[in-house]
């Protein structure tokens, strides 16, 4: 594991870093301005969802309340707090909650449940459904730990250590996808290091590399194993277009005592545990185009196609998983409406048994998802 840790940080150091004393834009810096004294902001959202699946017996689909959430931010001088709690139809869960300190204009440190710095920031996707990396715990994941961010002239460095996931491994009602304890397999995340360096050679074009190194542990057998992931990405904005490309390699140790000897591992979120391949490449290619409409129906419309393919190692019981999401986001004031068509082959939440695993049927399935909500 420590050899991989050295290699990961050696790769990160291959980018030249030169500190700058110049001011920087607020959205690429800290979440708060330390020059102001005290503030408190309260917000949230309420959302509803319609879904139709070609693999469901309900031919009319289903329409449900999806979420109510509360967002809260506070700041006093150099100290700040940011949190969000969510109530879904069938469970409630923390999204994030951390306290931070603004060291200076270019760096801050946070402690609590925060986003894991890995891959494209903030998401490697545009749709309500996210990309395939989300379901592998490699996109918009939130864990418990400490994180530090430093912004340079045209570079940004994130370093973090997480003690584990935000909930116990046997609690499936969560937002983030984490290692799950299922039945007699009481496996948990047991410490994790993350580093990400992003570099903008020119405005609106970002290149980045990420590394993740950690351990998982079976609390019944006491056996531990390593896991790691490395990724490279590009995120570019060209006029009204946004293009994203990302390549990730991840691997978990395969040990019978961890119940990964069959090259599978349990993750969970949104009440359900499922299996993923323990060793795979993940490729993401996304494109989006924003149209400024400014009429009574929409201020803007963003249409996109997000494609992810997970290619596991050539092992028995594993197979490729593909997710492709085509859709549009309609924005009118605080009203956001996502209309997504999700096509999945052997893909979790799209008619498949998991991600990168094979259970005898790897055909395509589709679902329509319409989510609309008001954000305040």
């Amino acid at each position: 594991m420590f050899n991989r840790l050295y290699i990961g940080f050696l790769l990160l150091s291959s980018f030249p870093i030169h500190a700058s004393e110049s001011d920087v834009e607020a959205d690429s810096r800290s979440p708060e301005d330390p020059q102001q004294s005290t503030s408190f902001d309260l917000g949230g959202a309420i959302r509803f969802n319609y879904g139709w699946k070609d693999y469901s017996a309900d031919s009319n689909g289903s329409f449900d309340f999806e979420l109510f959430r509360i967002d809260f931010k506070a700041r006093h001088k150099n100290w700040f707090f940011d949190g969000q709690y969510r109530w879904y139809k069938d469970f409630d869960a923390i999204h994030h909650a951390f306290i931070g300190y603004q060291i200076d204009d270019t760096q801050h440190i946070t402690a609590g449940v925060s986003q894991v710095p890995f891959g494209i920031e903030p998401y490697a996707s545009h749709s309500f459904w996210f990309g395939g990396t989300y379901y592998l715990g490699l996109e918009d994941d939130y864990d418990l730990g400490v994180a530090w961010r430093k912004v340079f002239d045209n570079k940004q460095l994130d370093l973090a250590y997480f003690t584990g996931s935000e909930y116990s491994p046997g609690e499936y009602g969560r937002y983030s996808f984490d290692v799950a304890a299922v039945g007699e397999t009481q496996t948990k995340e047991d410490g994790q290091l993350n580093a990400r360096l992003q570099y903008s050679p020119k405005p609106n074009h970002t290149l980045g590399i990420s590394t993740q190194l950690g351990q998982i542990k079976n609390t019944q057998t006491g056996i531990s194993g390593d896991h790691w992931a490395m990724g490279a990405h590009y995120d570019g904005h060209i006029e009204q277009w946004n293009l994203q490309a990302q390549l990730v390699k991840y691997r978990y140790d395969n040990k019978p005592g961890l119940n990964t000897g069959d090259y599978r591992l349990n993750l969970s979120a949104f009440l359900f545990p499922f299996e993923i391949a323990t060793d795979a490449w993940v490729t993401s290619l996304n494109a989006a185009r924003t149209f400024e409409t400014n009429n009574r129906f929409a201020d803007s419309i963003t249409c996109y196609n997000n494609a992810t393919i997970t290619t596991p190692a050539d092992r028995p019981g594993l197979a490729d998983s593909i997710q492709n999401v085509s859709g549009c986001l309609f924005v009118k004031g605080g009203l956001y409406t996502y209309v997504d068509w999700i096509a999945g082959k052997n893909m979790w939440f799209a008619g498949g048994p998991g991600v990168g695993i094979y259970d005898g049927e790897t055909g395509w399935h589709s679902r329509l998802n319409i989510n609309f909500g008001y954000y305040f």
Side-chain angles (χ1 to χ4, degrees):
M1 173 179 175
F2 291 100
N3 288 335
R4 290 195 291 269
L5 178 62
Y6 174 76
I7 293 171
F9 280 95
L10 185 63
L11 285 171
L12 284 168
S13 66
S14 64
F15 279 98
I17 296 178
H18 303 285
S20 170
E21 298 298 328
S22 62
D23 291 336
V24 292
E25 295 180 358
D27 60 357
S28 64
R29 283 292 188 259
S30 67
E32 307 295 345
D33 178 2
Q35 300 305 316
Q36 299 181 23
S37 58
T38 302
S39 69
F40 180 80
D41 295 313
L42 185 66
I46 183 169
R47 300 195 307 227
F48 298 87
N49 200 87
Y50 171 79
W52 174 89
K53 308 171 187 176
D54 69 0
Y55 51 94
S56 172
D58 186 356
S59 60
N60 294 318
S62 61
F63 179 70
D64 294 296
F65 162 80
E66 190 254 330
L67 167 146
F68 174 73
R69 84 181 199 200
I70 290 292
D71 306 311
F72 38 94
K73 295 183 179 182
R75 179 189 50 76
H76 179 68
K77 296 184 178 179
N78 289 65
W79 293 92
F80 57 89
F81 177 81
D82 195 323
Q84 183 185 112
Y85 200 84
R86 298 184 168 201
W87 289 265
Y88 291 92
K89 177 184 176 183
D90 298 314
F91 71 98
D92 57 275
I94 190 172
H95 182 268
H96 69 271
F98 56 82
I99 189 170
Y101 183 78
Q102 187 70 40
I103 300 170
D104 57 34
D105 287 344
T106 67
Q107 59 183 322
H108 68 264
I109 188 169
T110 63
V113 178
S114 63
Q115 189 180 58
V116 175
F118 190 91
I120 297 174
E121 185 183 25
Y123 320 114
S125 55
H126 304 93
S127 71
F128 178 80
W129 213 249
F130 287 101
T133 44
Y134 174 59
Y135 305 95
L136 295 165
L138 296 170
E139 178 184 348
D140 203 33
D141 182 31
Y142 294 83
D143 286 331
L144 182 62
V146 179
W148 172 74
R149 169 169 291 185
K150 173 73 173 179
V151 179
F152 301 87
D153 185 16
N154 56 356
K155 306 170 187 71
Q156 177 177 289
L157 175 64
D158 291 282
L159 300 176
Y161 174 74
F162 299 96
T163 58
S165 60
E166 70 276 25
Y167 285 111
S168 66
E171 191 165 349
Y172 307 147
R174 62 176 74 209
Y175 169 81
S176 295
F177 285 78
D178 295 302
V179 173
V182 179
E184 297 181 355
T185 307
Q186 298 297 305
T187 305
K188 69 170 186 175
E189 297 177 8
D190 193 32
Q192 177 177 297
L193 285 168
N194 281 85
R196 177 177 62 194
L197 181 62
Q198 299 187 88
Y199 166 61
S200 298
K202 57 182 180 178
N204 301 319
H205 294 270
T206 300
L207 300 171
I209 53 175
S210 307
T211 185
Q212 176 172 295
L213 303 160
Q215 287 191 321
I216 56 174
K217 182 178 181 179
N218 188 320
T219 57
Q220 288 184 322
T221 64
I223 294 177
S224 295
D226 296 340
H227 71 88
W228 59 269
M230 290 188 178
H233 68 262
Y234 166 76
D235 185 14
H237 295 264
I238 306 168
E239 296 181 347
Q240 284 77 37
W241 286 92
N242 178 215
L243 304 177
Q244 298 178 334
Q246 181 169 271
L247 179 65
V248 173
K249 170 68 175 181
Y250 76 88
R251 188 180 187 278
Y252 293 84
D253 276 353
N254 294 292
K255 296 181 179 179
L258 289 171
N259 200 37
T260 57
D262 57 354
Y263 306 103
R264 299 184 181 199
L265 176 73
N266 288 302
L267 300 188
S268 71
F270 293 91
L271 297 177
F272 296 103
F274 63 100
E275 292 181 314
I276 68 167
T278 57
D279 186 352
W281 288 90
V282 190
T283 305
S284 301
L285 294 172
N286 307 323
R289 172 67 156 83
T290 298
F291 304 88
E292 300 296 335
T293 52
N294 295 314
N295 57 41
R296 60 171 150 174
F297 300 107
D299 299 327
S300 67
I301 301 173
T302 301
C303 295
Y304 42 78
N305 191 83
N306 296 167
T308 309
I309 179 169
T310 301
T311 307
D314 187 12
R315 306 292 187 184
L318 306 182
D320 291 356
S321 290
I322 302 173
Q323 175 179 287
N324 191 86
V325 184
S326 300
C328 292
L329 166 64
F330 301 83
V331 179
K332 181 63 179 179
L335 182 64
Y336 286 67
T337 303
Y338 288 89
V339 181
D340 291 330
W341 181 262
I342 302 101
K345 182 179 181 181
N346 196 42
M347 183 66 194
W348 182 242
F349 278 125
V355 184
I357 66 170
Y358 173 69
D359 70 348
E361 195 274 324
T362 58
W364 284 92
H365 291 288
S366 299
R367 61 189 297 170
L368 171 67
N369 197 84
I370 302 174
N371 187 280
F372 61 93
Y374 184 74
Y375 294 76
F376 55 90

